[in-house]
Amino acid sequence: MDDFKFIEDDKQKTHVSITKSTYNRLITAIVSVAIVSAFLGGYVVGGETVEPKEVIVRESIQNSQTKPTTQEQFGSQIIRNISFDDDPMKGNPDASITIVEFSDFQCPFCAKFHKDTLPQLEQNYISTGKVNFVYRDFPIQSIHPNAIPAALASECADDQGRFWEIHDMIFKNQVAWQGLEIPQSVSLFKQYASEIGLDGKEFDLCLDSGKYLEEISNDLDDGRAYGVTGTPGFFVGNEKIGFTKLIGAQPFSSFQRVIEQQLAQ
């Protein structure tokens, strides 16, 4: 059986016109269909009229955990160019090697990576300036209805320069919010924002407006274009040597083999 299965249908579209009172129903619609075009009608938030905009969020691929990639497989998975977009980065921006992750906040394997593997990468490579780390969104709404609200929350925290704090809190507390109804999870994300000291009014307006849906859609499009077939999905390297693709909750040893091989080039 294949570890990953495509479940998208690029021919289906659902158009949703919303107002402030139907925001939560909008989010529900987003996470329950294969392709969503949202924000077609203007709506009011806090007395301000928000201009209409169209956002396409395409259904992606199921999450899965894979067996560690072997050294022999690396050569067939080199991709020449991977965009970092303007997404959050951890570490030295001038590092010779970059790890780009495409991730889903509700994915249990993504949470496992961030709990078990990322700290080892930080200790051995990121904090030493050898590697930097870029986080990009890849929410799979058909099986993870709270993934898009979580991604929106992280983007809104990034507006205030606090992405990594809320990123860590969302993953750490995944069990607490993953089974909630969307309005409840949104309220909890607002609580997290308050706990890390964000400007609550600014954060709430950002989250309630769905400000970063288009940004999330762009991340999804890029991930699909690069052949991401499950979350978490990683690309390790640089433009000169190309990027090695790793899929799934890989152990530290898999990253270590790739990174050491690349640093030696």
Side-chain angles (χ1 to χ4, degrees):
M1 177 181 295
D2 292 336
D3 285 319
F4 311 107
K5 180 182 178 182
F6 283 88
I7 54 174
E8 61 188 357
D9 181 354
D10 287 336
K11 296 181 181 179
Q12 298 178 23
K13 292 186 179 180
T14 299
H15 296 275
V16 183
S17 181
I18 69 163
T19 64
K20 178 181 178 183
S21 64
T22 59
Y23 166 73
N24 288 324
R25 289 198 294 276
L26 163 70
I27 296 296
T28 302
I30 290 173
V31 300
S32 63
V33 297
I35 303 177
V36 175
S37 179
F39 295 94
L40 295 180
Y43 57 100
V44 178
V45 177
E48 273 186 52
T49 300
V50 181
E51 290 300 317
K53 61 181 180 179
E54 182 173 290
V55 180
I56 304 296
V57 179
R58 292 180 175 82
E59 179 53 34
S60 307
I61 312 101
Q62 289 185 350
N63 308 74
S64 186
Q65 183 177 21
T66 62
K67 298 178 181 179
T69 305
T70 65
Q71 187 70 26
E72 290 72 21
Q73 291 176 292
F74 293 156
S76 62
Q77 300 185 63
I78 299 297
I79 297 177
R80 187 52 52 188
N81 293 310
I82 297 292
S83 172
F84 305 164
D85 198 15
D86 58 351
D87 287 307
M89 179 179 291
K90 181 191 289 277
N92 173 17
D94 296 322
S96 60
I97 301 297
T98 297
I99 299 173
V100 181
E101 178 188 17
F102 286 86
S103 186
D104 175 320
F105 277 110
Q106 198 174 342
C107 161
F109 304 118
C110 299
K112 177 177 174 60
F113 166 79
H114 283 270
K115 176 178 179 292
D116 297 338
T117 306
L118 184 57
Q120 296 181 74
L121 289 171
E122 290 194 68
Q123 179 182 349
N124 290 276
Y125 294 109
I126 297 172
S127 65
T128 63
K130 296 178 180 178
V131 172
N132 58 28
F133 183 88
V134 176
Y135 183 96
R136 302 196 65 181
D137 292 302
F138 205 83
I140 301 175
Q141 58 264 34
S142 65
I143 55 176
H144 293 149
N146 282 313
I148 286 180
L152 287 170
S154 71
E155 295 284 358
C156 291
D158 193 36
D159 263 359
Q160 300 185 45
R162 306 292 293 277
F163 172 84
W164 293 107
E165 289 97 325
I166 205 165
H167 161 280
D168 293 347
M169 186 171 286
I170 289 173
F171 269 126
K172 181 180 179 180
N173 295 287
Q174 187 186 76
V175 174
W177 56 263
Q178 64 182 356
L180 297 178
E181 295 295 322
I182 289 170
Q184 294 173 305
S185 69
V186 168
S187 294
L188 193 54
F189 299 146
K190 291 179 179 180
Q191 179 182 317
Y192 295 163
S194 176
E195 290 177 10
I196 65 174
L198 297 184
D199 181 312
K201 183 178 180 180
E202 180 182 340
F203 180 86
D204 291 358
L205 179 61
C206 176
L207 182 56
D208 290 343
S209 69
K211 177 179 177 181
Y212 285 105
L213 275 171
E214 189 169 5
E215 165 67 22
I216 293 167
S217 177
N218 290 339
D219 281 0
L220 277 165
D221 284 343
D222 280 355
R224 293 167 64 247
Y226 302 145
V228 175
T229 53
T231 56
F234 305 93
F235 299 90
V236 186
N238 59 45
E239 289 186 2
K240 182 179 179 180
I241 63 176
F243 290 82
T244 295
K245 178 181 175 182
L246 294 172
I247 293 293
Q250 299 284 348
F252 171 71
S253 59
S254 291
F255 288 94
Q256 185 179 40
R257 288 195 296 271
V258 177
I259 292 170
E260 290 298 330
Q261 182 186 63
Q262 292 177 339
L263 288 173
Q265 294 186 35

